[in-house]
Amino acid sequence: MPNIKLFSGSSHQDLSQRIADRLGLELGKVVTKKFSNQETCVEIGESVRGEDVYIVQSGCGEINDHLMELLIMINACKIASASRVTAVIPCFPYARQDKKDKGFFDIPVDNLYAEPAVLKWIKENIAEWKNCTIVSPDAGGAKRVTSIADRLNVDFALIHKERKKASEVDRMVLVGDVKDRAAILVDDMADTCGTICHAADKLLSAGATRVYAILTHGIFSGPAISRINGAGFEAVVVTNTIPQEEKMKHCPKIQVIDISMILAEAIRRTHNGESVSYLFSHVPL
């Protein structure tokens, strides 16, 4: 692809390489290091003058350092006369702290969805998917699960949480039927995994034959891995917006959906001035 440069930040080199391979590109040369006072230093190792630049940096690991690194890379490309610079952020940092939509951006933003890849995984990996129930672990995810359930033509349910205080769930109430069916928990992210592990126990006690969890972003901090290992999941499926290799070594239940082809196709369509809305309902071949 002419006039296009793809650079990777240090947060998720594997995903960046997969995107580059998909596009038939070499990753651009970039060196990131820290000064002795821990300030981040970024050196772009090739000319970007007049180029359409894409920088892949996910909000994971040392989030603040990676965010600062991204901002410095953007600035370095802008002052080196790149014609356009686009940040590709597979997992958007600090998203949990502001539930408002994209209203505060004064630049174009395309929000990509994992739903098509999730539907594909369900059909290919769950034999009894036609007799399953899609479950939201909280009321906030109802719109997400109803969309997936509608496209699969199956039932949905949700779990209503009653809290003693902000970080402590008193009890869970299942609204819907999972008896003698596979139950598929769907959520946007899982951090310490307390909620989804409690939800799995609730679904099994309500008669579900198997319980799967499908999560867009698997953060898995603190006691998450030990909780998943101790819960009754058949599988916990996440996308590779965040590196999962180390977590998978300690938890055989974790499986990964590769979404590099979605990001690569979004880059290709953006570069060529095409609509990306096709990706809201299709997985690129």
Side-chain angles (χ1 to χ4, degrees):
M1 298 173 85
N3 301 111
I4 184 170
K5 295 278 187 179
L6 181 66
F7 292 98
S8 175
S10 56
S11 65
H12 201 344
Q13 291 273 350
D14 176 66
L15 180 60
S16 301
Q17 188 61 59
R18 286 170 180 264
I19 294 169
D21 291 345
R22 177 85 180 186
L23 291 169
L25 298 171
E26 293 283 332
L27 281 174
K29 296 181 180 66
V30 59
V31 176
T32 58
K33 57 188 177 182
K34 289 199 174 180
F35 293 120
S36 58
N37 67 350
Q38 296 304 299
E39 284 186 6
T40 298
C41 172
V42 178
E43 296 174 2
I44 304 295
E46 56 192 80
S47 172
V48 296
R49 180 177 293 274
E51 302 278 11
D52 189 8
V53 174
Y54 294 83
I55 303 170
V56 182
Q57 182 81 308
S58 197
C60 57
E62 300 291 334
I63 291 176
N64 294 338
D65 283 353
H66 290 153
L67 183 58
M68 197 68 212
E69 182 182 286
L70 172 63
L71 297 175
I72 293 170
M73 289 177 76
I74 292 169
N75 184 62
C77 290
K78 294 287 268 187
I79 62 177
S81 300
S83 68
R84 182 172 64 171
V85 181
T86 302
V88 181
I89 310 175
C91 181
F92 192 77
Y94 290 97
R96 283 189 290 182
Q97 304 204 30
D98 187 354
K99 294 300 183 185
K100 302 177 186 69
D101 209 323
K102 304 189 292 273
F104 293 104
F105 287 97
D106 57 4
I107 55 173
V109 175
D110 286 308
N111 186 26
L112 299 174
Y113 298 92
E115 184 178 301
V118 167
L119 291 166
K120 184 171 182 282
W121 189 93
I122 290 172
K123 290 177 180 178
E124 291 178 354
N125 293 274
I126 301 178
E128 67 271 41
W129 69 267
K130 291 182 180 178
N131 184 38
C132 75
T133 301
I134 310 296
V135 185
S136 173
D138 55 44
K143 183 178 178 182
R144 187 183 306 115
V145 299
T146 53
S147 174
I148 292 173
D150 287 347
R151 292 182 66 178
L152 291 172
N153 195 27
V154 298
D155 290 340
F156 68 92
L158 63 85
I159 292 173
H160 174 64
K161 292 183 289 191
E162 295 182 353
R163 295 182 181 272
K164 284 181 181 175
K165 50 189 178 185
S167 60
E168 187 178 340
V169 176
D170 184 20
R171 69 189 187 110
M172 291 181 156
V173 179
L174 175 64
V175 182
D177 183 24
V178 296
K179 187 171 176 57
D180 299 325
R181 300 181 190 178
I184 304 174
L185 279 161
V186 177
D187 207 352
D188 58 346
M189 66 173 62
D191 191 352
T192 57
C193 293
T195 297
I196 65 162
C197 289
H198 282 134
D201 293 340
K202 183 72 180 176
L203 293 168
L204 288 168
S205 67
T209 54
R210 296 183 181 192
V211 178
Y212 300 83
I214 302 183
L215 316 158
T216 305
H217 307 295
I219 299 169
F220 300 146
S221 64
I225 296 301
S226 62
R227 283 175 171 171
I228 292 171
N229 282 330
F233 290 111
E234 193 75 18
V236 174
V237 184
V238 295
T239 69
N240 60 341
T241 58
I242 295 171
Q244 298 295 345
E245 290 78 11
E246 284 302 311
K247 305 286 173 55
M248 291 171 75
K249 290 177 185 175
H250 302 287
C251 184
K253 294 178 184 178
I254 295 175
Q255 298 183 34
V256 172
I257 299 172
D258 181 16
I259 47 88
S260 61
M261 74 287 289
I262 295 174
L263 297 174
E265 181 64 10
I267 289 171
R268 189 195 68 78
R269 285 172 175 264
T270 302
H271 176 67
N272 292 331
E274 301 171 24
S275 170
V276 299
S277 59
Y278 172 85
L279 299 173
F280 297 168
S281 55
H282 298 83
V283 178
L285 297 175

